Amino acid sequence: MAIQHPLKWCLFVSLVLFSTAGCKWGSIGYNTGFKPTQPLPFSHKLHAGDNKIPCLYCHTQVESAKHSAIPALNTCMNCHQMVAIDKPAIKQLQEKYFNGETIEWVKVHMLPDFVKFNHRAHVHRFSQPEDRFVACQKCHGDVKQMDVIEQINSLSMGWCMDCHRQSQPQGPQNCSTCHN
Amino acid sequence: MEIKTDYWKSLDEKYQTPEFLQTLENEFLSSPLKSEDGKDGLARRQFMKLMGASVALTAAACVRRPVQKIIPYNKRPGDLIVGLPNYYASAYFDGTEGISVRIKTREGRPLFVAGLNDNPLNGRGLSARASAHLLSLYDPDRVQKPTINSINPKNRKDSISVGATWEKLDTRVVAKLKEGGVGILTTSNPSPASQELLHKFTVAVGGSRYTWDPLPTDSVRKAQQLSYGTDLVPAYHFDKAAYIVSIDGDFLGTYLTPVKFTNDFAKARNPDGNMARLVSFHSIPSLTTLNADDNYPIRASHQLAVACSLLKAVAKAKDGSISEAVSANALSDEQLGLNSGTIDYVAKNLVSHAGQGIVISGGMVTESANSVALQVVINSLNSLLGNEGKTITTQGAARWRNGSSQDLLELVKDIESGKVTTLIVHDINPMYAFPAEFKFSEVVQKLKGLITTTNWIDETATLADVIAPCGHPMENWNEYEFATGLKTIQQPTIRPINDTRSFEDSLIAWAKAFGKPITSSENYHDHLKADVVKALGSEKNWFDYLQSGSRGSVSSGSGRSFNSSAYSALKDAKKSGNDIELVLYPKAALLDGALANVSWLQELPDPVTKTVWDNYLTVSPQFAKEKHLKMGSMVEIEVSGQKLNVPVYVMPGQNSHVVGLAVGYGRTKGMNLAKNIGVNAYTLAKVDNEGVRYSGLPVKVQKIMGTYELAITQGHNSMEGRQIIAESSLKNYKEGTDPVHRHKVFSIWDKHKYDGNKWGMAIDLNTCTGCSACMVACYSENNIPVVGKKYVLQGREMHWIRIDRYYKGDESAPDAVFQPVMCQHCENAPCETVCPVLATVHSDEGLNDMVYNRCVGTRYCSNNCPYKVRRFNWFYYDSHYRREPLEMALNPDVTVRTRGVMEKCTFCVQRIKDAKSIAKVENRPLQDGEIKTACQEACPTGVIVFGDLNDKESAVSKMFEAQRQYTLLEEVNAAPRVRYMAKIRNTDRIMSSPHHEDHTEKHSNGHANKEEHT
């Protein structure tokens, strides 16, 4: 590689630095095991596990739309106007709610922009009438046991395709099934 | 190498000029890297080397992606589901036409505008403008807040404005109002409620009103008044017509209500049923001309003469008497520059289709000194033929068009006399659209106050004291009555993005602060709602109204009889024209220029000239020859002292005494995108006692040094003389002659098998008018980047669907055919076999999938595509959208592509997937017609039909079996999924047989050429 111009050296060095910094914001590898601390210590174990609140109580639109959507604060307040209002986290929640603010949750299950995942289709395919959790669990793991949500599966294309090929009947396997 | 063909796209192609042959040799206009590309930074390859090395050094240890946040609602609105669209019935008014639209919103932001299906106003579909006005909502150049300019009143010139609050602005305005001498200048307003408020406001402040439209209809109304005693613009029913004569009446492109007319026209053009004939006499070739079965170029000054000659011939055939005034203005065929017998032939046809004919004329192109006389003769013709009351009625007539250039003359007079000292301007940009003869920049100095409601710091706003931005139609409430009796609601689909307030709300606020409130309601929405609830009886009906989008039905009309005293208008008719006549005309995409800042419209090829990002002087080939002009030669034009330098466009089918220049260009302020594109043709308009003249202006054309590059998309992508267009005359078609030359094909490939769906598309060339609404809809739906003029010149435009315009025959009056071409989703797709990384593959539903994230940008697929429909992202074209709030216009369902990626039409696969998923969830089979592609939704004539070919009952399956169907380049046997229906021309001229005599020669040429590239 012929590098003569001093500016090009600068670029080279900065690219190396940039890519090193990429360990923090970088780009390669799947996010398996990603378990970020959330702004409020919301526990799925407590809500879905111990108290047996169905997934769809909060993630209401998962059956009708592509996104499962994080519940709006008014959903939390259905209970937390009464329940556990002495806990500091709930006080914080209430304050946010009554101030008209929102909470910036850290996204755990991330797909690139060129992948279009449809919750509606998957939930309908896999949920059973008595227990819809079966469907959720397939990708999100045993959420009922998680205090802090963690990415269990790689969410890589190979991982998706394994399921699309192995399940009976098979899932669609066109490129445009996920990419458009 | 020479290629013989009946059809041609440009004059260069017709005459096989060396330049054209050279472009053929190149095939692709753009070489991989231009020399200047490397100059701004490191060349791409060098960059890749460095990047690759540095990534390899460090990447191994990385695991984490950037942290993203999810921000839920505080309280989720009840009707909102994240990721599911909501649809609103609304209306869009583009300055001449009102269109019922359905606006799709996602998470509270409008994303896509489609025509409201089966609406009583215009049936279906929309115009390119209606689709594109979405982007103007997110225009970064819009005024952000109410603005006051303190320096201006003393000496009106450009100066910096200061943002203010509405309270401060209102105080300032009311102080001005209290000084008296208020004038209000607006365009015709199709909203009765708004009209009423404006009227009350004018009375309350003791002001005077002036109404003027850049797209004039005054002479039509004046002539209606003279002929029938009714001041209105009548309704035309093209669906009931069998014989249509247009004398410069561009009803398919720019005149009155083009979408409705196009809709109706298509209904009358069914070759298997009733097939109307369209004849065009034109000075400037327009969309109507290019759709005509027979077309005759005339001089602009002969519009009246043609009408009079027709009337004379019709009267003769009907054995009726004829007014002296009419015969005095009639001319012979030779004098009109027509083949002998033309007028008699057209008149004979008019008579034989009496009661089923329409003679139409009007618009900017006819606004000459004779325009009222012309309209009177047109009325007389229609009455004599019995068309009046049948195909032309007062039922559904527009009574709101009351703009008058007389008002403009008065306004200037009143300002000069000091009667008007404070001017409120709404919806007009006088500094831009007024003729230069008015010297408005001097007149405006006499004003003590200038208040404008514009959304841009435009030519007028820079001189104003107060800018009270009225916001975008998608942010405001309104109710329109485009056709008398039928009301249409315009409901907002987003909260105002900027701190804006609708014009009506401003009026209400100002009147209240002035001390004379004009309504008891708080704001315009409450006012409207109270009105409607009162009329409809209950609040529930109001919500039903919002759902359906319209209420009432067009009022009934009565037959009218022609009053022959109207001929008095012919008394002073000017008989002689000028040697060279300039005609100012609106373009089908940009119209009056109000949407000039919308990149989609600027990059939309003009349907007639296929030119983007410019206006130019259109001249006839003969004129060009005489004056030694070529495409892009610079000329200086002079109209009574006003001079402009413009490039030349050589336009086939234009009279050699006529030159044309489009309005809507040449913005100088406010609109950053439109700034300095083309020249402002409005300045050339002439003013006389009667009003503003746009047509038949005396002009001097002088060739000057220099040439200019016009970005013309048509020359690109030559199809090398094969059977791309199939067409036939109605007579041949009815006799059962196959309009298509069929090929025998065989394949060594196994055929694909489709168990589920098998998508296909059919396109009817017979009803495609080339209006280009589909192209803009595709932009909007598929996040298609805009590349700008520089890259269009290099052939890098990104349209997924293009509309090719082919000419046939003599250049002085050629026939034209439009053909939409998008990815043909070939069964034996040539692109699929050459992709080294499998980025384009066949799906099990017959789609040709394009996988952006796999594409490495070899462009082999594009090289191997016989239809040249694949588009490559040469640069970061998507950066155009990466500005706030423009990025909100991006469709979240479609990946935004960036540099180095090939893209093309997907048949709107996101819509297919969505509809299928819903049907599956609801456990029902997919209905035919449930999936509509974006282009299909936009089309006003139903040219494009999409559906499942495995369903034998589907509309598309039936079209695949039709007699007229053919595929592009059948002999190549790519087996496209798109079928075209041959064009049928209703003409008595003898048309050549579809079977090419020199078929073999063409083949060998085609192949020889292909080999050169491989």
Side-chain angles (χ1 to χ4, degrees):
Chain A
M1 197 191 317
I3 298 178
Q4 283 124 12
H5 198 279
L7 267 179
K8 290 182 186 172
W9 273 113
C10 289
L11 180 82
F12 180 72
V13 172
S14 58
L15 281 175
V16 171
L17 284 176
F18 177 77
S19 322
T20 319
C23 282
K24 196 151 185 227
W25 312 292
S27 54
I28 298 185
Y30 305 117
N31 249 5
T32 321
F34 187 42
K35 192 179 177 184
T37 314
Q38 299 289 355
L40 288 183
F42 176 85
S43 166
H44 276 84
K45 181 167 180 282
L46 181 68
H47 289 82
D50 301 349
N51 292 323
K52 296 194 174 59
I53 300 172
C55 306
L56 262 76
Y57 181 81
C58 300
H59 301 286
T60 45
Q61 57 164 69
V62 71
E63 286 191 310
S64 51
K66 294 181 191 108
H67 307 287
S68 78
I70 302 295
L73 268 62
N74 62 341
T75 311
C76 310
M77 296 306 286
N78 286 349
C79 299
H80 286 297
Q81 283 196 344
M82 311 288 285
V83 178
I85 47 175
D86 55 332
K87 303 254 172 74
I90 302 302
K91 281 184 180 155
Q92 251 178 304
L93 171 74
Q94 286 194 335
E95 197 185 312
K96 294 253 184 204
Y97 174 74
F98 288 114
N99 288 340
E101 291 165 14
T102 176
I103 300 167
E104 293 193 10
W105 302 100
V106 179
K107 193 171 182 181
V108 179
H109 299 92
M110 282 183 284
L111 292 177
D113 287 351
F114 50 79
V115 180
K116 312 289 175 194
F117 179 81
N118 190 340
H119 273 93
R120 174 178 59 203
H122 290 86
V123 169
H124 272 271
R125 170 72 178 77
F126 292 111
S127 66
Q128 289 158 8
E130 67 281 6
D131 189 6
R132 287 183 170 105
F133 179 62
V134 181
C136 309
Q137 199 180 12
K138 267 191 144 28
C139 304
H140 292 286
D142 194 0
V143 173
K144 286 180 179 172
Q145 301 307 320
M146 290 183 202
D147 258 326
V148 180
I149 283 289
E150 179 184 348
Q151 182 180 325
I152 296 295
N153 294 303
S154 72
L155 308 187
S156 69
M157 180 166 143
W159 177 80
C160 293
M161 288 306 289
D162 279 350
C163 194
H164 275 239
R165 289 200 190 100
Q166 283 158 14
S167 54
Q168 284 301 327
Q170 286 192 335
Q173 291 156 35
N174 292 314
C175 297
S176 58
T177 304
C178 305
H179 305 295
N180 61 58
Chain B
M1 178 197 58
E2 198 171 313
I3 295 166
K4 281 189 198 140
T5 169
D6 294 341
Y7 293 93
W8 42 281
K9 293 167 147 190
S10 63
L11 287 165
D12 278 344
E13 182 177 359
K14 185 172 166 69
Y15 294 117
Q16 301 282 311
T17 61
E19 290 92 337
F20 174 75
L21 292 174
Q22 200 191 335
T23 59
L24 278 193
E25 298 301 318
N26 288 333
E27 182 173 355
F28 291 98
L29 277 174
S30 41
S31 70
L33 268 182
K34 296 252 168 176
S35 53
E36 76 262 26
D37 290 344
K39 281 178 189 159
D40 41 68
L42 290 170
R44 183 171 149 270
R45 280 173 198 184
Q46 184 73 33
F47 180 82
M48 293 306 285
K49 273 191 217 162
L50 291 169
M51 192 67 202
S54 36
V55 167
L57 275 171
T58 55
C62 286
V63 283
R64 288 285 174 254
R65 305 222 184 119
V67 171
Q68 292 178 14
K69 298 288 175 65
I70 304 184
I71 304 169
Y73 283 93
N74 180 281
K75 298 180 196 65
R76 183 166 65 87
D79 59 352
L80 189 144
I81 293 175
V82 180
L84 276 195
N86 281 344
Y87 296 94
Y88 295 90
S90 189
Y92 171 63
F93 175 56
D94 65 6
T96 177
E97 178 169 33
I99 299 170
S100 275
V101 294
R102 192 194 68 179
I103 300 175
K104 171 182 158 187
T105 70
R106 273 274 303 265
E107 290 88 50
R109 61 196 166 102
L111 274 184
F112 187 76
V113 186
L116 195 60
N117 253 349
D118 298 324
N119 72 76
L121 184 62
N122 42 13
R124 61 186 288 179
L126 36 51
S127 63
R129 285 178 300 285
S131 234
H133 91 295
L134 172 83
L135 206 59
S136 77
L137 169 68
Y138 302 117
D139 188 344
D141 296 342
R142 276 170 58 195
V143 186
Q144 310 278 328
K145 53 186 160 205
T147 303
I148 290 175
N149 193 329
S150 315
I151 310 159
N152 267 342
K154 297 213 174 92
N155 181 17
R156 286 184 195 285
K157 58 182 184 191
D158 308 352
S159 49
I160 301 149
S161 314
V162 186
T165 59
W166 283 105
E167 289 76 33
K168 268 193 194 160
L169 183 137
D170 289 347
T171 324
R172 175 74 69 109
V173 170
V174 170
K176 287 275 174 234
L177 295 179
K178 291 219 160 118
E179 287 171 20
V182 180
I184 302 168
L185 173 65
T186 62
T187 47
S188 308
N189 188 345
S191 163
S194 173
Q195 282 270 23
E196 186 204 339
L197 286 181
L198 191 53
H199 176 71
K200 282 185 182 164
F201 179 82
T202 315
V203 173
V205 300
S208 37
R209 268 184 70 184
Y210 307 89
T211 313
W212 179 72
D213 295 317
L215 300 170
T217 54
D218 335 12
S219 37
V220 177
R221 286 190 348 266
K222 248 184 236 169
Q224 289 278 326
Q225 179 73 40
L226 285 171
S227 314
Y228 305 113
T230 44
D231 182 9
L232 45 71
V233 176
Y236 297 87
H237 304 278
F238 288 95
D239 48 340
K240 293 180 190 154
Y243 196 80
I244 304 157
V245 177
S246 152
I247 304 175
D248 264 332
D250 180 20
F251 64 92
L252 292 177
T254 56
Y255 182 49
L256 299 181
T257 57
V259 171
K260 179 178 172 26
F261 290 161
T262 305
N263 219 304
D264 289 349
F265 179 65
K267 280 182 204 153
R269 295 277 289 180
N270 177 7
D272 301 312
N274 55 334
M275 175 90 177
R277 182 179 296 185
L278 171 60
V279 177
S280 153
F281 294 90
H282 59 274
S283 54
I284 300 288
S286 63
L287 261 186
T288 309
T289 310
L290 266 56
N291 281 290
D293 296 306
D294 297 317
N295 69 77
Y296 307 104
I298 55 164
R299 297 170 68 141
S301 57
H302 282 164
Q303 288 156 349
L304 175 65
V306 168
C308 287
S309 309
L310 277 178
L311 179 55
K312 196 175 152 192
V314 166
K316 203 170 122 200
K318 290 206 123 192
D319 211 20
S321 62
I322 183 81
S323 156
E324 183 56 36
V326 173
S327 45
N329 279 294
L331 291 175
S332 69
D333 291 326
E334 288 70 34
Q335 283 166 313
L336 291 171
L338 301 170
N339 288 336
S340 137
T342 304
I343 291 289
D344 281 339
Y345 167 70
V346 175
K348 198 183 90 203
N349 275 304
L350 270 175
V351 172
S352 63
H353 292 94
Q356 296 179 302
I358 290 180
V359 187
I360 187 169
S361 176
M364 192 176 260
V365 188
T366 66
E367 285 295 321
S368 65
N370 291 344
S371 52
V372 178
L374 170 66
Q375 293 299 333
V376 166
V377 177
I378 300 280
N379 292 345
S380 168
L381 256 173
N382 281 321
S383 281
L384 184 62
L385 290 164
N387 301 335
E388 167 60 37
K390 287 188 180 136
T391 54
I392 302 170
T393 63
T394 55
Q395 181 174 19
R399 288 170 203 273
W400 54 270
R401 293 182 200 269
N402 57 354
S404 140
S405 44
Q406 207 67 45
D407 272 23
L408 215 52
L409 300 173
E410 244 163 70
L411 172 69
V412 173
K413 223 169 19 182
D414 288 349
I415 296 177
E416 273 175 343
S417 71
K419 188 184 159 201
V420 169
T421 54
T422 295
L423 186 64
I424 301 177
V425 183
H426 172 59
D427 208 19
I428 290 189
N429 184 354
M431 286 300 297
Y432 168 71
F434 281 8
E437 264 187 72
F438 274 134
K439 297 204 170 56
F440 201 72
S441 53
E442 288 169 29
V443 174
V444 85
Q445 304 293 343
K446 300 212 168 70
L447 287 173
K448 288 198 189 115
L450 180 58
I451 298 160
T452 165
T453 60
T454 178
N455 285 315
W456 290 271
I457 308 274
D458 56 21
E459 292 82 354
T460 308
T462 42
L463 303 181
D465 315 319
V466 173
I467 304 163
C470 66
H472 191 266
M474 283 188 190
E475 299 168 335
N476 296 332
W477 286 95
N478 220 333
E479 187 187 38
Y480 298 117
E481 191 174 354
F482 296 117
T484 310
L486 179 67
K487 291 196 170 156
T488 320
I489 192 84
Q490 169 191 302
Q491 49 177 333
T493 45
I494 189 170
R495 282 254 301 262
I497 294 176
N498 300 321
D499 187 7
T500 57
R501 187 172 74 183
S502 77
F503 177 55
E504 291 79 11
D505 279 323
S506 283
L507 287 182
I508 292 171
W510 293 338
K512 202 169 164 195
F514 188 73
K516 291 183 183 168
I518 48 176
T519 170
S520 53
S521 307
E522 267 306 289
N523 56 40
Y524 188 49
H525 163 256
D526 295 353
H527 176 83
L528 259 185
K529 190 175 169 186
D531 265 13
V532 175
V533 169
K534 208 166 120 190
L536 294 178
S538 74
E539 192 166 2
K540 187 195 165 290
N541 292 349
W542 159 258
F543 289 111
D544 288 346
Y545 176 33
L546 295 185
Q547 291 271 321
S548 69
S550 61
R551 66 184 170 109
S553 57
V554 286
S555 57
S556 61
S558 49
R560 305 175 294 174
S561 56
F562 183 78
N563 182 352
S564 56
S565 67
Y567 286 135
S568 62
L570 272 82
K571 208 171 55 199
D572 303 322
K574 232 174 101 204
K575 291 194 186 71
S576 64
N578 306 294
D579 181 36
I580 305 295
E581 300 163 354
L582 173 68
V583 177
L584 306 183
Y585 68 98
K587 274 204 208 176
L590 223 48
L591 213 65
D592 60 352
L595 288 179
N597 217 31
V598 175
S599 53
W600 294 343
L601 288 179
Q602 290 281 6
E603 194 149 305
L604 180 72
D606 177 72
V608 181
T609 64
K610 293 290 158 197
T611 308
V612 299
W613 293 98
D614 259 311
N615 68 346
Y616 32 75
L617 191 75
T618 64
V619 305
S620 71
Q622 196 193 332
F623 182 91
K625 216 180 207 173
E626 282 165 12
K627 297 258 178 185
H628 307 289
L629 298 172
K630 272 180 159 174
M631 204 72 102
S633 304
M634 288 300 290
V635 291
E636 182 190 77
I637 53 172
E638 183 183 347
V639 181
S640 1
Q642 285 294 323
K643 287 182 187 169
L644 285 178
N645 292 348
V646 284
V648 157
Y649 182 96
V650 184
M651 174 90 94
Q654 183 169 314
N655 187 290
S656 57
H657 293 276
V658 178
V659 295
L661 185 62
V663 298
Y665 288 83
R667 306 300 298 242
T668 53
K669 294 192 181 96
M671 297 184 164
N672 284 322
L673 187 107
K675 211 183 263 183
N676 304 326
I677 295 175
V679 294
N680 182 1
Y682 281 118
T683 54
L684 297 181
K686 274 179 72 69
V687 185
D688 61 26
N689 297 335
E690 298 288 314
V692 186
R693 306 293 177 217
Y694 299 98
S695 177
L697 308 171
V699 63
K700 277 187 217 141
V701 182
Q702 180 101 41
K703 188 176 177 184
I704 57 171
M705 287 291 286
T707 52
Y708 182 88
E709 272 195 300
L710 288 170
I712 304 169
T713 59
Q714 185 72 77
H716 308 172
N717 312 323
S718 170
M719 288 202 184
E720 306 187 349
R722 294 143 166 171
Q723 177 182 271
I724 307 300
I725 294 291
E727 87 176 308
S728 178
S729 68
L730 184 62
K731 187 163 161 280
N732 289 348
Y733 175 68
K734 290 239 155 130
E735 283 167 359
T737 317
D738 194 343
V740 185
H741 175 73
R742 312 272 172 195
H743 292 258
K744 282 204 176 68
V745 289
F746 70 95
S747 177
I748 55 168
W749 301 95
D750 287 336
K751 277 194 175 162
H752 292 273
K753 288 195 176 58
Y754 302 99
D755 300 327
N757 306 101
K758 179 179 169 188
W759 306 116
M761 183 180 272
I763 296 174
D764 188 352
L765 297 186
N766 196 45
T767 39
C768 176
T769 65
C771 74
S772 305
C774 49
M775 290 180 75
V776 179
C778 185
Y779 263 102
S780 179
E781 172 74 16
N782 291 309
N783 302 335
I784 295 177
V786 172
V787 301
K789 182 182 168 186
K790 178 182 163 194
Y791 293 112
V792 176
L793 279 170
Q794 297 175 16
R796 293 173 177 181
E797 69 269 18
M798 301 295 293
H799 318 127
W800 284 6
I801 177 171
R802 65 171 190 265
I803 298 186
D804 287 332
R805 180 261 294 118
Y806 292 89
Y807 284 123
K808 187 187 186 188
D810 189 51
E811 68 199 37
S812 62
D815 291 329
V817 185
F818 290 102
Q819 181 176 48
V821 184
M822 70 293 284
C823 174
Q824 306 280 308
H825 291 268
C826 310
E827 203 69 340
N828 309 324
C831 53
E832 289 169 8
T833 48
V834 293
C835 180
V837 293
L838 293 181
T840 182
V841 290
H842 217 65
S843 90
D844 62 10
E845 298 179 347
L847 298 178
N848 173 237
D849 284 350
M850 181 69 222
V851 194
Y852 308 125
N853 41 313
R854 237 185 214 178
C855 177
V856 295
T858 64
R859 309 190 308 285
Y860 294 168
C861 54
S862 161
N863 286 15
N864 217 31
C865 172
Y867 308 102
K868 295 289 162 268
V869 288
R870 289 179 157 265
R871 306 291 183 200
F872 187 65
N873 270 283
W874 286 93
F875 291 100
Y876 293 107
Y877 294 136
D878 57 319
S879 62
H880 173 70
Y881 297 114
R882 303 240 184 249
R883 281 181 295 167
E884 283 202 22
L886 210 55
E887 56 195 5
M888 287 185 13
L890 291 172
N891 183 357
D893 289 339
V894 178
T895 307
V896 178
R897 289 82 52 191
T898 184
R899 177 177 175 153
V901 172
M902 189 60 78
E903 57 183 73
K904 51 130 210 140
C905 163
T906 62
F907 272 176
C908 286
V909 65
Q910 66 280 6
R911 293 183 176 216
I912 299 176
K913 285 194 296 186
D914 217 39
K916 276 187 73 171
S917 148
I918 289 172
K920 201 164 187 183
V921 165
E922 291 173 2
N923 205 8
R924 61 175 172 82
L926 207 59
Q927 305 293 316
D928 183 36
E930 200 174 326
I931 304 170
K932 282 200 166 70
T933 61
C935 47
Q936 184 182 11
E937 258 189 336
C939 182
T941 60
V943 165
I944 300 170
V945 176
F946 178 80
D948 186 359
L949 295 170
N950 271 351
D951 172 6
K952 288 293 158 225
E953 292 307 304
S954 68
V956 71
S957 293
K958 285 180 183 153
M959 284 177 84
F960 267 54
E961 302 295 318
Q963 185 200 343
R964 287 191 288 140
Q965 64 82 19
Y966 73 102
T967 53
L968 290 189
L969 304 182
E970 190 181 18
E971 64 272 31
V972 177
N973 198 23
R977 271 301 164 75
V978 179
R979 296 260 168 109
Y980 291 86
M981 309 288 121
K983 167 129 183 149
I984 305 297
R985 201 176 283 279
N986 186 0
T987 178
D988 294 337
R989 284 173 294 140
I990 294 161
M991 293 184 63
S992 57
S993 132
H995 297 262
H996 310 292
E997 284 141 24
D998 51 353
H999 189 242
T1000 46
E1001 187 196 338
K1002 256 182 233 173
H1003 263 274
S1004 61
N1005 273 333
H1007 291 308
N1009 192 44
K1010 205 173 165 194
E1011 272 152 28
E1012 279 165 33
H1013 303 298
T1014 45

